[in-house]
Amino acid sequence: MGLIGLALAPVAQAETKTDFKVAWSIYVGWMPWGYAADTGIVQKWADKYGITIEVTQFNDYVESMNQYTAGAYDAVTLTNMDALSIPSAGGVDTTAVIVGDYSNGNDAVILKDQTDLAAIKGQPVNLVEFSVSHYLLARALDSAGMSERDVNVVNTSDPDMVGAFQTPDVTAMVTWNPMVSEILALPGASNVFDSSKIPGEIIDLMAANTEVLADNPDFGKALVGIWYDTMAVMTADTPEGAAARAAMGAASGTDQAGFEAQLAATKLFATPSDAVAFTAAPELGTTMDHVRTFLFDKGLLGSGAPSADVIGIELPDGTILGDANNVKLRFTTSYMQMAADGAL
């Protein structure tokens, strides 16, 4: 027994840590993380729990998720679909600590010199392949009685979207804000389908490594403390609130009015009780079933995956979609509920 104790002690010690790294990328629902880092809100909550939290902005969304999956970061901003297809499919057990919002128009299918979705047939469509843009395209095509066989997907990195749309060869694009706003301001650009047509399906999260979270619950508490502190500032109808929205707008390449237009296309869960109610609702299970089916159809749940059940998804009530012995994505209301209860 003594030998076993000696063997286990260093491992247990290594699991508890005080320094944490968080990755985020430019998107209306994630701009609060940069603002919180810049204004001392991150520092305030890290100090409260005696830890350090380094918040890093990525200009390339996919790269931020890849870095998290590789273990370079403890938490990352991503969507529900990308959480399943990248870290979870890559074997990294991931927990959605904060359900921040869902896209309610921020993701869009845009055509050049056409105003009807049906005109997309036969066109090349530029998007980040296998991202939520790809999912939105699939849902859009389905709504019009078409399938992906009717178009030609062209994989395009998100920083290249605005420039690409201004070239003659690009006539159809699917992307997210702030690129959507910039592209729709260009001559000939029309929004022919957006995420408001599939409300509640493209969900924006702050997710953390489940093992890191289990061994360091104060990290999860600090994350929700940071988030709802920032929500209180940015949603306030005060000069401070306006200044926060202006700062987030500037950081995302627009201004206060532009940022507020993007917020209008976002169903933001500004309070923890709102987030808990959405996350605990049965519709989340329906959405994740749509998502895992899409990912399986695209071959994105791992090579040789026999079915959409290959990865287990745990919902807040303990229900598991898929393989209960291979749960790699978890939705929990526990940390958000602590914030709602004033228990941080």
Side-chain angles (χ1 to χ4, degrees):
M1 288 297 292
L3 288 173
I4 294 171
L6 285 171
L8 291 178
V11 177
Q13 189 66 34
E15 290 170 345
T16 303
K17 50 193 257 179
T18 56
D19 298 338
F20 301 90
K21 296 176 72 176
V22 175
W24 71 282
S25 52
I26 297 285
Y27 175 70
V28 58
W30 298 326
M31 297 311 299
W33 290 103
Y35 176 84
D38 292 342
T39 58
I41 297 174
V42 170
Q43 184 74 49
K44 168 189 164 183
W45 284 91
D47 287 349
K48 175 171 182 173
Y49 290 106
I51 60 178
T52 65
I53 300 175
E54 180 185 337
V55 176
T56 301
Q57 177 196 321
F58 279 75
N59 291 326
D60 187 313
Y61 172 51
V62 173
E63 183 60 19
S64 71
M65 294 184 289
N66 288 340
Q67 288 285 323
Y68 163 78
T69 303
Y73 288 82
D74 301 295
V76 64
T77 55
L78 37 52
T79 68
N80 54 321
M81 192 188 91
D82 296 325
L84 185 59
S85 67
I86 297 182
S88 296
V92 179
D93 194 328
T94 295
T95 296
V97 180
I98 300 165
V99 175
D101 66 84
Y102 66 74
S103 176
N104 200 30
N106 272 313
D107 297 77
V109 180
I110 301 170
L111 295 185
K112 185 184 287 181
D113 300 325
Q114 299 284 345
T115 58
D116 185 358
L117 175 61
I120 202 169
K121 189 168 187 175
Q123 293 199 42
V125 182
N126 292 71
L127 51 75
V128 177
E129 198 170 19
F130 309 134
S131 73
V132 291
S133 296
H134 206 152
Y135 177 78
L136 184 68
L137 174 66
R139 299 287 275 130
L141 292 169
D142 184 59
S143 77
M146 291 183 279
S147 73
E148 205 174 313
R149 290 188 296 275
D150 293 306
V151 297
N152 176 32
V153 169
V154 180
N155 189 27
T156 307
S157 180
D158 50 300
D160 300 330
M161 291 293 183
V162 178
F165 194 83
Q166 297 175 75
T167 63
D169 292 344
V170 175
T171 57
M173 181 170 279
V174 191
T175 189
W176 55 82
N177 267 320
M179 288 82 74
V180 165
S181 295
E182 292 184 61
I183 293 164
L184 289 176
L186 297 171
S190 294
N191 176 348
V192 295
F193 189 93
D194 65 40
S195 52
S196 68
K197 305 288 200 306
I198 53 166
E201 292 190 31
I202 298 176
I203 308 168
D204 302 311
L205 312 170
M206 169 57 77
N209 181 292
T210 300
E211 291 178 21
V212 169
L213 202 59
D215 295 330
N216 303 276
D218 283 350
F219 176 49
K221 293 177 187 177
L223 288 176
V224 294
I226 292 162
W227 182 253
Y228 292 113
D229 244 14
T230 310
M231 287 294 101
V233 174
M234 72 170 283
T235 60
D237 187 16
T238 61
E240 187 184 19
R245 295 188 295 276
M248 291 182 209
S252 63
T254 182
D255 55 16
Q256 183 182 337
F259 186 71
E260 289 176 351
Q262 292 174 36
L263 276 178
T266 307
K267 176 55 180 173
L268 189 69
F269 301 120
T271 66
S273 56
D274 285 350
V276 167
F278 175 82
T279 308
E283 287 79 8
L284 179 63
T286 305
T287 291
M288 291 312 298
D289 196 38
H290 274 311
V291 165
R292 70 190 188 125
T293 300
F294 169 82
L295 293 174
F296 174 70
D297 289 346
K298 296 294 175 195
L300 296 175
L301 293 181
S303 58
S307 74
D309 285 333
V310 66
I311 297 172
I313 303 167
E314 184 177 31
L315 301 173
D317 66 356
T319 301
I320 295 173
L321 300 177
D323 188 350
N325 295 313
N326 188 39
V327 175
K328 294 297 181 190
L329 180 60
R330 304 168 196 268
F331 289 87
T332 180
T333 57
S334 60
Y335 288 96
M336 297 183 293
Q337 189 64 56
M338 286 182 207
D341 293 342
L344 296 177

